[in-house]
């Protein structure tokens, strides 16, 4: 992979509307170059006989069954409430 330059990093930062210093640009260029070099190693892997997959583990359905269950009794919930009216929690008004 080509070496990432400070100027390329500054240009990308400008496009992303990020303010970075010259020292940060040099640092990020080194980091981005290391990342792209590491990703280039993946191109060396032989994946001809590897089937495409959506998940690394054989999972079917990990969600629980959607069934209604009773909640806490209203009296228990209202014990911890500062104010309530007719069985409903009273909260401060936020819109006028």
């Amino acid at each position: 992979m080509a070496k990432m330059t400070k100027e390329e990093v500054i240009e990308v930062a400008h496009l992303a509307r990020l303010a970075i210093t010259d020292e940060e640009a040099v640092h990020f260029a080194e980091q981005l170059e290391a990342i792209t070099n590491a990703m280039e190693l993946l191109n060396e892997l032989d994946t001809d006989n590897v089937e495409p997959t959506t998940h690394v583990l054989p999972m079917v359905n990990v969600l629980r069954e959607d069934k209604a269950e009773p909640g806490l009794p209203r009296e228990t919930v209202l014990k911890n409430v500062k104010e309530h009216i007719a069985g409903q929690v009273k909260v401060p008004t936020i819109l006028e």
Side-chain angles (χ1 to χ4, degrees), residues 1-76:
M1 187 85 204
K3 179 171 174 46
M4 295 290 296
T5 65
K6 177 180 87 167
E7 290 73 24
E8 288 173 323
V9 172
I10 290 173
E11 176 64 20
V12 171
H14 173 72
L15 293 173
R17 305 294 190 255
L18 298 173
I20 62 173
T21 65
D22 284 346
E23 294 80 23
E24 289 173 325
V26 170
H27 181 69
F28 292 144
E30 293 169 359
Q31 288 183 331
L32 289 169
E33 184 177 358
I35 291 169
T36 53
N37 289 339
M39 294 301 108
E40 281 294 317
L41 291 175
L42 296 176
N43 289 333
E44 298 175 12
L45 295 175
D46 179 20
T47 58
D48 291 337
N49 297 323
V50 178
E51 289 188 37
T53 182
T54 57
H55 202 281
V56 295
L57 299 175
M59 295 183 162
V60 180
N61 188 1
V62 296
L63 301 176
R64 65 173 171 78
E65 182 182 343
D66 189 14
K67 62 180 181 179
E69 295 182 0
L72 292 172
R74 184 173 292 193
E75 298 79 28
T76 304

